[in-house]
Amino acid sequence: MKKNHYIISGAVLLAIGITASCKKSFLELTPNGQFLESNYYANPQQALTALVAAYDPMVTETGGLDNTYIDPLGPLNSASDDCFAGGGGSSDIPAWQAINNYTMGPSVGPQGGFWATNFQGVNRADVLLEKLAKVPGLDEATLKRYTAEAHFLRAHYYFDLVRLFKNVPLILTSLQVNDVYKQPQATPEAVYAQIEADLTAAVNDLPTTVPASENGRVTQGAATALLGKVYLYEKKWAQAASTLEKVNGTPGGTSTYGYKLQTNFGDIFSPKNKFNSESIFELVHSGMQNYTWSNWNQFKSNVYVQMVGPRSFNGPIYYAGGYGFNPITPQLVSAMKGDPRYPYTIANIDSLTKATKTSYNESYQGTGYYIEKYAPKVANIVTTGVTDLNWPNDYIEIRLADTYLMEAEALVQAGTNTGRATDLLNAVRARVKLAPVAATLDNIYKERRLELATEGHRWFDLVRTGQAPTALAFKGFKAGTNEILPIPLTETLNGTQVKQNPGY
């Protein structure tokens, strides 16, 4: 049996390993062992635990069967013109360095973590969809909801896979181990069609809202927003606009789903303001798990927060240290100078240390500027476990300002209702007291960069809009190759059907 491949078969072992606790939100998880699939799905509680397991790959910071993975924001920010890889030196997390300077190859880069994490999620969703209808005692309403969530999750994982790799196997059933390696790559069009089908199937059976005890579970709004985003990536402009309009409602107002722009931009990212009115799909990170270094590949806290803090910051205020990853590029600093969002996005550590007589060690590729949105602030320290490993900051993967700007872009591309596109764009600007501007593609792209900087969207935006070769030339980006990642080397060895991406 080939042991090194990352597509994990659920027909052999259902590696749930987690349960939900009534004292925590839905996705604040606790390790709880493994279960043979043949003995599982015997009651509704086991079905719920399996559902939580299907969410799990999205929120496990060091998961993905790849010790260089850590968090998806790390490599995505490193690949963009927002950040450098940084850290302690040129060999610190080689995967991040490789995507930062575009020296990736089949065996070097972050692709192993992305591939493993997302296919693990696909597999768990596949198993769930096969098993749910046979669970004794599962009532019809709960069955519909769990099934809808599984469809959303499979779509979510495949959307990441097709954007990152383009050419991936389309696996819709659980497989025996020997069959895993026989799966050919599907066309991107087939993968996108399946993503659309899954999200369309999910929407109507999802709740419009969830109670606080279920925060992190997908809702109708989240599925609709993701479907609109998928249409945008496919350049189906009219469908993207009409779908996102359902999420956005009246620009600047409160949508049907209850979404509304936060009054204060900085409040969006506070761990004390989780699941705020702007949050559409939020990944939960708990600071109360008491994690230590022995919990590697289990963390549901936000380890990325520790990663991006200034190295060895020495002072009684502001920041509780850090490892110096993803320092901000001069390009982003220049773009944001004078913008009201600057102090909530970028931390000028050089100026801070001079003004407060504190100190820090500049990181590799350091510029003196660091990520503020996810900074390890003293005010957010949790007093359980190792501080470095127990940061409570959530990650809002889809938020309302993002969907406003996506709809505005789709409307301009479609050449329809440019008045609404203008209103959407300027609602985002008005929130931070910026003057209105015309709804042109250039203005929308600029606004996306300033509004969403360091949130993991920039690299995808540059690639999908064709701006990457120019914007990332200073990092060594190669047009026609680096728009996608290499397939992990282990996925192409020993007679598998998977072929390496062009240029790698």
Side-chain angles (χ1 to χ4, degrees):
M1 184 177 72
K2 305 175 183 68
K3 296 181 180 180
N4 293 326
H5 294 267
Y6 285 154
I7 303 177
I8 309 301
S9 173
V12 177
L13 181 70
L14 179 67
I16 292 174
I18 51 180
T19 59
S21 166
C22 61
K23 296 181 181 179
K24 303 172 183 175
S25 67
F26 181 68
L27 294 179
E28 294 183 17
L29 311 170
T30 305
N32 199 45
Q34 294 179 326
F35 307 90
L36 288 175
E37 183 195 321
S38 58
N39 298 329
Y40 212 71
Y41 296 94
N43 55 59
Q45 180 56 45
Q46 290 185 349
L48 175 61
T49 304
L51 175 62
V52 176
Y55 279 90
D56 183 55
M58 287 191 293
V59 295
T60 302
E61 283 286 280
T62 51
L65 309 181
D66 182 342
N67 286 336
T68 64
Y69 187 56
I70 307 295
D71 180 288
L73 283 180
L76 290 175
N77 282 333
S78 298
S80 78
D81 57 350
D82 283 354
C83 301
F84 294 114
S90 60
S91 60
D92 201 352
I93 308 191
W96 294 16
Q97 306 297 338
I99 198 171
N100 171 79
N101 54 28
Y102 291 94
T103 56
M104 293 176 292
S107 60
V108 180
Q111 61 272 8
F114 281 121
W115 185 278
T117 296
N118 285 294
F119 269 116
Q120 185 180 67
V122 166
N123 173 255
R124 291 182 180 185
D126 284 344
V127 174
L128 198 60
L129 288 167
E130 289 178 354
K131 298 292 184 179
L132 280 173
K134 303 172 186 177
V135 176
L138 195 63
D139 65 82
E140 183 177 358
T142 303
L143 171 61
K144 285 184 176 180
R145 182 182 181 187
Y146 288 6
T147 300
E149 287 178 274
H151 278 297
F152 171 91
L153 291 169
R154 184 166 68 183
H156 181 284
Y157 293 123
Y158 262 122
F159 186 46
D160 274 356
L161 285 165
V162 75
R163 289 190 296 165
L164 288 164
F165 298 102
K166 187 177 179 179
N167 305 299
V168 296
L170 184 57
I171 301 172
L172 304 178
T173 60
S174 60
L175 299 172
Q176 296 294 329
V177 171
N178 289 338
D179 292 329
V180 168
Y181 313 115
K182 300 175 183 177
Q183 306 306 308
Q185 287 143 300
T187 64
E189 293 77 15
V191 177
Y192 270 110
Q194 184 60 48
I195 293 168
E196 288 184 29
D198 275 337
L199 290 172
T200 302
V203 169
N204 290 335
D205 290 329
L206 291 168
T208 54
T209 60
V210 297
S213 61
E214 296 183 0
N215 277 340
R217 295 183 75 171
V218 65
T219 61
Q220 277 189 23
T224 305
L226 184 57
L227 180 59
K229 185 173 183 176
V230 169
Y231 287 142
L232 187 80
Y233 274 70
E234 294 181 279
K235 296 180 168 54
K236 295 180 177 179
W237 309 121
Q239 288 169 277
S242 62
T243 303
L244 290 164
E245 183 177 4
K246 298 174 187 176
V247 177
N248 294 334
T250 302
T254 302
S255 76
T256 301
Y257 293 117
Y259 304 131
K260 183 178 175 61
L261 293 175
Q262 289 280 285
T263 302
N264 298 310
F265 179 78
D267 291 345
I268 298 168
F269 313 101
S270 171
K272 298 175 177 60
N273 193 29
K274 296 188 178 194
F275 298 97
N276 58 65
S277 65
E278 192 160 337
S279 174
I280 296 174
F281 188 56
E282 184 164 338
L283 303 186
V284 182
H285 292 296
S286 171
M288 302 300 294
Q289 296 283 354
N290 199 33
Y291 289 127
T292 68
W293 290 105
S294 64
N295 295 111
W296 194 263
N297 278 355
Q298 298 174 10
F299 302 134
K300 306 303 182 296
S301 53
N302 196 330
V303 180
Y304 184 66
V305 169
Q306 180 67 24
M307 301 290 290
V308 302
R311 292 177 67 83
S312 304
F313 185 87
N314 181 22
I317 53 177
Y318 305 116
Y319 304 104
Y323 302 155
F325 285 91
N326 285 161
I328 302 295
T329 62
Q331 287 86 341
L332 181 59
V333 173
S334 177
M336 294 208 73
K337 279 289 175 66
D339 190 283
R341 290 162 289 202
Y342 177 100
Y344 304 106
T345 304
I346 299 173
N348 185 339
I349 301 299
D350 273 354
S351 293
L352 175 67
T353 53
K354 290 174 184 175
T356 59
K357 296 183 173 23
T358 53
S359 64
Y360 78 109
N361 294 331
E362 185 63 275
S363 68
Y364 173 65
Q365 300 172 315
T367 59
Y369 298 93
Y370 289 82
I371 291 175
E372 176 69 12
K373 287 178 179 177
Y374 306 110
K377 297 179 181 178
V378 169
N380 299 329
I381 290 176
V382 175
T383 57
T384 61
V386 176
T387 296
D388 296 17
L389 306 177
N390 287 278
W391 292 102
N393 307 57
D394 282 3
Y395 169 50
I396 305 177
E397 186 177 278
I398 307 175
R399 60 183 179 91
L400 191 61
D402 180 15
T403 57
Y404 272 23
L405 294 172
M406 285 194 288
E407 186 190 344
E409 179 183 343
L411 288 168
V412 171
Q413 291 278 19
T416 58
N417 203 348
T418 54
R420 178 173 170 84
T422 301
D423 291 343
L424 288 160
L425 170 60
N426 288 314
V428 175
R429 294 177 58 81
R431 189 252 298 278
V432 291
K433 298 180 173 52
L434 287 172
V437 294
T440 65
L441 286 178
D442 283 346
N443 283 340
I444 292 167
Y445 294 155
K446 179 180 178 181
E447 203 65 33
R448 284 190 65 81
R449 185 181 196 187
L450 301 179
E451 175 73 21
L452 302 169
T454 74
E455 294 179 45
H457 303 292
R458 177 65 174 172
W459 182 77
F460 286 121
D461 282 349
L462 290 174
V463 169
R464 71 178 178 80
T465 60
Q467 300 175 78
T470 299
L472 298 174
F474 76 105
K475 285 192 166 187
F477 185 96
K478 296 180 284 293
T481 297
N482 295 140
E483 288 84 358
I484 54 178
L485 304 186
I487 305 295
L489 178 64
T490 50
E491 297 302 320
T492 64
L493 300 176
N494 301 319
T496 71
Q497 297 300 304
V498 175
K499 307 301 181 186
Q500 186 54 260
N501 279 331
Y504 294 108

